[in-house]
Every structure is written in C-alpha cells, then in structure tokens.
Amino acid sequence: MVDIPSQEGTDDPRPVKVGVLLDQAPDKLTEWLADAAAFDAGGADALWVDCGPDPRLDVPALAAALAVVTYRVRLVVALPDETAAAPGLAGTIDTIVRLSRGRLALIAGPGALEVGVAVFRRVPGEPNAFECADEGERWVAVPVPQGRQSWRETRADVAGRGFTGLVVPADPQLLDMLRNPDDPGDRRDLQLAQG
C-alpha cells in the first residue's frame, strides 16, 4: 500500500492502493508477464487486466499465467461477456483462485458472475470508477503521472475524493516511482535506458 502524505492541518495519512492496468493487447506475452512481475515486485497493490470486448487472447489463460508469475498483487480481471457466460466458468475461476492463492477479483456488470470471488463493478455516473461492495473499496482510473509532483497531487486528489485505490496504465516511469518512492526524480539512468 502506498502512503499518501497527510493533508494540511491533518495528522492522519491517507493510504491509497496502486493498481497497474496492463497492456490491453500484448504482442509479446513473455514481456507482458515480465512487466507484470516487475510491478508486483515493485510494490503495486493490484494488476488490472481488461483486454476489451473482443480480445485476441484467452483472458482466463492470461489470468492463470499472471497468477503463476506474481506472488502478492491482487489480480483484477475483466472477463469478456462470452467468457463470463461460458459453461464451466466456475471451474476455471476456481483453478485461477487456487493458482493465485486467493488473489483473483473480477470486473463484471450488474447481475453477472456469482463465482465466489470479489467482483468490481463500474460506479454509475462515473465511467472511470469501480467499486467492490464486498470489500468496501472504490478505485478510479487515472492517467500516467507526468512526474513525481504530479504523482503526489494525483494520489492526494484520489484520497480526498474518498477512493481507496487508483488504476494507472503500465509505464516505466510509474514502475520507477513505485520502486523508488523517496527518490527526488532526477533519474538519468532511465533516460539512457529508454534512448
């Protein structure tokens, strides 16, 4: 969990969880899985997978692979409608839950999925917000921060609006900020590594 600096005039730090939205259509699965493992080791609280309404890849298989290459992050996975309605889904979900040691959660629409795992649903009127009523969590999607000051401001804003977590697209700069939260931000090694 990432600690948010306390608001002025308050001694109470506001914790906000960090979720990383993985690439929607990975071309190189080994690199996609390596990125997921890096964010897991780097301190992210959750990995979010949403391959869109018509994915090229088998989403439950991706979730199972993530369960194997990560060890602590929650895996929040959006199942396409045809997958969510498929016979045998409960057995597939049970297998992934066992592989992940209970870290799986799903993103679903109203009235869908009664498979025994936490379910995130979109918040009505807030297209970028999700809530998990069973867990008392509210998450919001935000863009990749444009530096450490932007990152601090975004986290404080999210906490101030009552969200317990934020979902950020996977990005090397985000990984660096998770790995090195106290770094002042002058990371020339990242600039060299990226070209």
Side-chain angles (χ1 to χ4, degrees):
M1 183 159 1
V2 177
D3 288 331
I4 303 300
S6 61
Q7 301 293 322
E8 289 186 58
T10 312
D11 293 324
D12 181 31
R14 298 176 182 219
V16 172
K17 295 177 182 178
V18 176
V20 177
L21 178 62
L22 297 174
D23 185 16
Q24 188 175 42
D27 288 326
K28 297 179 180 177
L29 287 178
T30 54
E31 290 178 16
W32 187 81
L33 291 168
D35 288 347
F39 278 106
D40 179 37
D45 296 291
L47 296 174
W48 288 59
V49 178
D50 184 352
C51 294
D54 189 23
R56 298 181 335 207
L57 302 169
D58 184 311
V59 176
L62 290 176
L66 285 173
V68 172
V69 301
T70 60
Y71 66 96
R72 58 170 206 75
V73 291
R74 174 180 243 172
L75 305 173
V76 182
V77 179
L79 295 177
D81 291 340
E82 65 275 358
T83 302
L89 177 64
T92 301
I93 296 300
D94 183 56
T95 301
I96 298 168
V97 167
R98 293 173 68 189
L99 284 170
S100 69
R101 296 169 315 284
R103 296 178 290 130
L104 180 68
L106 298 174
I107 302 169
L113 295 171
E114 297 295 331
V115 291
V117 299
V119 176
F120 283 83
R121 302 192 191 283
R122 289 195 184 275
V123 175
E126 295 186 62
N128 293 329
F130 300 85
E131 64 185 351
C132 181
D134 296 339
E135 312 261 330
E137 295 183 10
R138 287 175 43 92
W139 291 64
V140 65
V142 298
V144 174
Q146 298 303 308
R148 291 180 187 280
Q149 180 62 31
S150 169
W151 181 233
R152 285 189 293 276
E153 290 168 1
T154 298
R155 292 182 306 159
D157 175 61
V158 165
R161 293 175 24 211
F163 287 97
T164 55
L166 51 84
V167 182
V168 187
D171 183 83
Q173 184 174 354
L174 174 64
L175 180 59
D176 179 55
M177 287 186 283
L178 289 171
R179 286 180 173 165
N180 305 294
D182 298 324
D183 189 283
D186 184 22
R187 297 295 310 270
R188 295 184 199 281
D189 59 327
L190 287 180
Q191 295 167 355
L192 292 172
Q194 293 180 11

